[in-house]
């Protein structure tokens, strides 16, 4: 083999490698964009679930509202699976407690619920992962007073009128925030 032949083979291999690298990088960019759409869909589903739960809030002196910047727990009607007389599964609604929080180690939003007995003991079912790939989850609580609106990062005395929820995630190497304000009918 001559030097010219070796140079031709090396240059052809170089062009093939460059073409393969380009195809791979385009494929990775397309995949990343497709995943970004999924996280936005998951956030919308999370907001819908939280809104439905907050519209089922009730007042009961033995089950308190609890919350801070990264977690929120409240008394609400929960769906519990039981059995009928034929041992068939049935769903029932009862008073309970629901908690949403952010798991820093998993970068995930979790939802836990407790039936009435568990709520009185401060216990919950196993957490349900609603979505992963989240950088932060933040809650801000709205109170209506005689002086007007009062926003807080923690639960205060009085009835909560609404919750402002922020979900922070990364898309195309930049941080994005999607926010939703949810009114609590009981507190209005």
């Amino acid at each position: 083999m001559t030097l010219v032949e070796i140079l031709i083979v090396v240059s052809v291999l170089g062009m093939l490698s460059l073409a393969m690298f380009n195809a791979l990088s385009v494929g990775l960019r397309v995949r990343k964009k497709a995943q970004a759409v999924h996280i936005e869909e998951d956030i919308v589903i999370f907001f819908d679930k939280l809104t439905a739960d907050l519209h089922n809030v009730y007042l009961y002196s033995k089950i308190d509202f609890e919350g801070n910047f990264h977690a929120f727990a409240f008394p609400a009607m929960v769906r519990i699976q039981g059995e009928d007389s034929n041992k068939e599964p049935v769903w029932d609604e009862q008073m309970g407690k629901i908690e949403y929080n952010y798991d820093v180690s998993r970068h995930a939003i979790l939802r836990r619920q407790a039936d009435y007995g568990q709520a009185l003991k401060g216990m919950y079912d196993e957490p349900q992962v609603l979505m992963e790939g989240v950088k932060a989850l933040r809650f801000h609580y709205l109170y209506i007073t005689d002086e007007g609106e009062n926003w807080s990062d923690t639960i205060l005395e009085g009835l909560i009128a609404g919750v402002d929820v922020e979900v922070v995630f990364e898309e195309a190497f930049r941080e994005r925030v999607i926010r939703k304000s949810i009114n609590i009918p009981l507190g209005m």
Side-chain angles (χ1 to χ4, degrees):
M1 205 185 245
T2 66
L3 180 61
V4 173
E5 291 172 330
I6 292 175
L7 290 175
I8 291 173
V9 168
V10 168
S11 63
V12 168
L13 282 175
M15 288 189 294
L16 285 174
S17 298
L18 186 62
M20 288 176 55
F21 173 77
N22 189 29
L24 181 64
S25 66
V26 168
L28 289 174
R29 273 185 283 172
V30 168
R31 181 174 181 261
K32 191 161 192 84
K33 283 199 183 265
Q35 283 180 330
V37 172
H38 291 295
I39 197 164
E40 289 173 352
E41 290 172 354
D42 289 345
I43 291 170
V44 169
I45 292 168
F46 159 67
F47 283 151
D48 286 346
K49 189 165 194 61
L50 178 59
T51 300
D53 285 341
L54 286 173
H55 287 176
N56 284 318
V57 165
Y58 63 88
L59 283 180
Y60 185 62
S61 62
K62 295 187 180 195
I63 302 176
D64 293 327
F65 286 84
E66 300 172 20
N68 57 37
F69 202 51
H70 302 290
F72 183 34
F74 49 90
M77 299 302 289
V78 295
R79 290 185 52 150
I80 304 296
Q81 185 177 3
E83 292 180 348
D84 65 8
S85 59
N86 298 327
K87 303 267 187 213
E88 294 292 321
V90 293
W91 289 94
D92 189 26
E93 279 196 1
Q94 64 173 261
M95 295 185 338
K97 192 170 189 176
I98 298 172
E99 179 190 61
Y100 287 88
N101 66 43
Y102 177 66
D103 185 337
V104 177
S105 64
R106 292 165 53 180
H107 300 284
I109 296 175
L110 306 179
R111 179 188 184 273
R112 301 188 307 171
Q113 75 175 27
D115 63 24
Y116 181 73
Q118 289 172 318
L120 293 179
K121 295 176 187 171
M123 299 168 50
Y124 289 94
D125 287 342
E126 286 297 313
Q128 172 189 11
V129 177
L130 297 179
M131 61 182 299
E132 294 179 316
V134 176
K135 287 186 75 174
L137 172 66
R138 300 182 190 121
F139 294 99
H140 306 278
Y141 308 99
L142 172 65
Y143 295 87
I144 305 292
T145 64
D146 294 336
E147 293 81 35
E149 293 182 356
N150 181 20
W151 286 95
S152 174
D153 291 338
T154 59
I155 298 293
L156 304 174
E157 285 292 319
L159 200 52
I160 300 170
V163 179
D164 189 56
V165 185
E166 295 178 2
V167 177
V168 182
F169 63 100
E170 197 168 288
E171 178 184 64
F173 304 108
R174 64 186 175 101
E175 192 172 275
R176 287 198 47 207
V177 177
I178 296 180
R179 171 183 287 142
K180 181 172 184 178
S181 293
I182 305 167
N183 292 330
I184 300 175
L186 188 63
M188 297 304 280

